[in-house]
Amino acid sequence: MTSKVDEALGYEQARDELIEVVRRLEAGGTTLEESLALWERGEELAKVCRRWLDGARARLDAALAEEAAEEEPEE
């Protein structure tokens, strides 16, 4: 479940934190418990990023549809 703090994260903030989580996981040297916590955090951050990207796609699609409707010749 995504927390209220995660919901307030901007795309760039979530992406940057996700990059750091991945870097730490790839570097190794963490305990199993730490690795699981990092992985769970990474999953939550990925969801935040996906919501931002899905929202941006929806806005672009709506703008393109509106533009196309305005360009249609009236019969």
Side-chain angles (χ1 to χ4, degrees):
M1 170 84 56
T2 304
S3 73
K4 295 290 184 194
V5 172
D6 288 344
E7 291 175 6
L9 282 176
Y11 172 77
E12 289 80 8
Q13 291 170 306
R15 181 202 59 211
D16 291 347
E17 187 178 341
L18 180 55
I19 290 168
E20 179 60 20
V21 166
V22 171
R23 185 197 65 74
R24 289 181 61 196
L25 284 168
E26 288 178 342
T30 57
T31 65
L32 177 59
E33 189 68 27
E34 291 167 332
S35 294
L36 286 172
L38 285 168
W39 179 80
E40 289 171 343
R41 181 63 180 154
E43 287 292 319
E44 291 302 318
L45 291 165
K47 289 177 188 175
V48 171
C49 289
R50 174 56 56 200
R51 275 195 299 277
W52 274 105
L53 293 172
D54 289 346
R57 169 58 65 193
R59 289 175 62 189
L60 286 171
D61 289 345
L64 291 172
E66 184 178 315
E67 184 178 299
E70 290 173 358
E71 291 178 1
E72 284 184 13
E74 294 183 25
E75 295 181 27

